[in-house]
């Protein structure tokens, strides 16, 4: 019986973990990075909003901490009848074989970059009820993470890699999107010798931060175009011929991808911190846009 149990455990270890948008662990780490890099005053304002959790009516999806906020938008999608309209807010894929267009694929603001901007504006507006601003906080933290995941921006007619079967080394049963969402990102940010959750220096923050959601989407698209797909399919020109429906990421592919995935998590965390600082700054709400 003990031998049988050991065999079963070994088989389970080979199965992929359930995939969420950029993995619950990676998203929570971006929030932890952000929290470590905001001022005590900003942390106090975040706590004040989190105190209104019950008003959102999502008891199955807790929202007690900033790390909870980082995964809340994925959790509530489980109630499709209530939150299904947010599904398109998690990505803004653009074909890697065409010129990048930051204004495409976002009809009515239904894409991740538009929703980052919308959530930031709502969070900054102290005239809004606290539960509305809390929802905006959760969306802001989560969607900023999403836009940094390369396959939420780059696409090769496969729903951001979801339609490309891929083995993660010797572990079968994934698709390309799920690998970058889960095991690759998790491996990238679990090095105890170089923890990602810490207070970054001003120089590090300047190097990792900057830009706006459209810029971050373009960065992710470029990574998908120049690294993710070429590495996964062992070709320098992924647009020259149709790609295989299934591939395998070798150990070398994984090792090469780790620092890229790690940097995207760090950038997301630092940029979330910057967004929170600007949203909670006095007089943060911009003047309403005028229409001619």
């Amino acid at each position: 019986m003990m031998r049988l149990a050991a065999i079963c455990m070994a088989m389970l270890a080979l199965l992929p973990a359930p995939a969420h948008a950029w993995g619950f662990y990676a998203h929570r780490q971006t929030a932890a990075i952000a929290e470590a890099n905001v001022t005590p005053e900003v942390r106090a304002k975040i706590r004040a909003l989190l105190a209104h959790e019950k008003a959102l009516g999502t008891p199955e999806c807790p929202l007690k901490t900033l790390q909870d906020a980082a995964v809340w938008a994925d959790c509530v999608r489980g109630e499709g009848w209530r939150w299904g309209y947010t599904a398109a807010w998690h990505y803004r894929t653009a074909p890697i074989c065409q010129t990048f267009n930051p204004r495409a694929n976002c009809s009515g603001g239904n894409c991740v970059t538009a929703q980052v901007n919308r959530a930031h504006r709502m969070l900054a507006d102290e005239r809004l009820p606290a539960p509305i601003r809390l929802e905006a906080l959760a969306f802001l933290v989560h969607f900023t993470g999403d836009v940094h995941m390369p396959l939420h921006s780059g696409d090769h007619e496969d729903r951001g890699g979801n339609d490309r079967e891929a083995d993660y080394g010797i572990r079968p049963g994934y698709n390309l999107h799920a690998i970058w969402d889960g095991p690759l990102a998790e491996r990238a940010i679990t090095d105890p010798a170089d923890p990602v959750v810490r207070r970054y220096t001003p120089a590090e923050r300047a190097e990792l931060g900057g830009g706006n959601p459209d810029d971050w989407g373009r960065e992710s698209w470029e990574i998908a175009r120049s690294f993710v797909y070429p590495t996964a399919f062992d070709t320098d020109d992924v647009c020259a011929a149709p790609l295989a429906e299934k591939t395998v990421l070798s150990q070398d592919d994984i090792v090469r991808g780790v620092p890229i995935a790690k940097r995207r998590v760090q950038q997301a965390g630092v940029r979330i911190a910057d967004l929170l600082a600007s949203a909670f700054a006095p007089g943060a709400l911009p003047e309403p846009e005028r229409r001619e």
Side-chain angles (χ1 to χ4, degrees), residues 129-141:
I132 299 297
R133 295 180 68 218
L134 174 57
E135 183 179 302
L137 170 68
F139 281 140
L140 177 69
V141 176

Side-chain angles (χ1 to χ4, degrees), residues 39-115:
T39 64
E41 292 77 16
V42 169
R43 284 195 288 271
K45 291 181 178 181
I46 291 170
R47 286 194 299 271
L49 286 182
L50 292 170
H52 296 271
E53 175 201 22
K54 290 185 178 179
L56 296 186
T58 59
E60 300 301 318
C61 299
L63 192 48
K64 300 181 185 302
T65 67
L66 195 63
Q67 291 190 46
D68 288 344
V71 299
W72 181 84
D74 270 346
C75 182
V76 296
R77 288 175 68 185
E79 291 187 346
W81 62 272
R82 183 179 175 191
W83 299 98
Y85 67 93
T86 68
W89 295 1
H90 294 254
Y91 60 91
R92 187 180 192 171
T93 51
I96 60 171
C97 295
Q98 298 178 18
T99 302
F100 183 80
N101 182 354
R103 291 175 293 279
N105 195 21
C106 193
S107 177
N110 287 299
C111 72
V112 67
T113 51
Q115 291 302 317

Side-chain angles (χ1 to χ4, degrees), residues 115-174:
Q115 291 302 317
V116 171
N117 288 326
R118 173 179 176 269
H120 181 264
R121 185 182 179 91
M122 294 175 69
L123 179 60
D125 192 346
E126 294 183 354
R127 299 168 301 182
L128 294 176
I132 299 297
R133 295 180 68 218
L134 174 57
E135 183 179 302
L137 170 68
F139 281 140
L140 177 69
V141 176
H142 181 83
F143 292 149
T144 303
D146 274 351
V147 77
H148 283 79
M149 199 289 238
L151 292 176
H152 281 254
S153 292
D155 176 80
H156 199 306
E157 299 182 352
D158 54 11
R159 297 188 305 123
N162 276 291
D163 295 335
R164 307 281 181 184
E165 292 183 51
D167 293 348
Y168 181 68
I170 64 170
R171 296 174 63 183
Y174 287 93

Side-chain angles (χ1 to χ4, degrees), residues 178-218:
I179 286 174
W180 277 83
D181 259 354
L184 184 59
E186 290 168 9
R187 175 170 173 171
I189 55 179
T190 52
D191 180 3
D194 186 21
V196 297
V197 179
R198 58 182 173 81
R199 183 79 177 178
Y200 288 84
T201 67
E204 287 175 318
R205 290 188 62 168
E207 198 271 329
L208 291 167
N212 58 51
D214 284 342
D215 297 326
W216 309 336
R218 185 188 292 269

Side-chain angles (χ1 to χ4, degrees), residues 37-39 42 45-46 120 123 140 205 270-282 284:
N37 286 277
V38 295
T39 64
V42 169
K45 291 181 178 181
I46 291 170
H120 181 264
L123 179 60
L140 177 69
R205 290 188 62 168
V270 167
R271 287 163 172 173
I272 290 169
D274 291 342
L275 288 171
L276 294 174
S278 62
F280 286 115

Side-chain angles (χ1 to χ4, degrees), residues 182-264:
L184 184 59
E186 290 168 9
R187 175 170 173 171
I189 55 179
T190 52
D191 180 3
D194 186 21
V196 297
V197 179
R198 58 182 173 81
R199 183 79 177 178
Y200 288 84
T201 67
E204 287 175 318
R205 290 188 62 168
E207 198 271 329
L208 291 167
N212 58 51
D214 284 342
D215 297 326
W216 309 336
R218 185 188 292 269
E219 291 170 356
S220 287
W221 175 86
E222 177 59 33
I223 292 169
R225 187 188 69 85
S226 63
F227 182 84
V228 176
Y229 282 97
T231 301
F233 293 94
D234 298 316
T235 177
D236 292 331
D237 188 355
V238 294
C239 302
L243 298 180
E245 293 184 0
K246 183 175 181 178
T247 190
V248 176
L249 267 69
S250 68
Q251 182 62 24
D252 181 62
D253 295 337
I254 295 167
V255 169
R256 290 170 59 207
V258 161
I260 294 173
K262 181 175 184 176
R263 180 176 174 83
R264 292 311 275 168

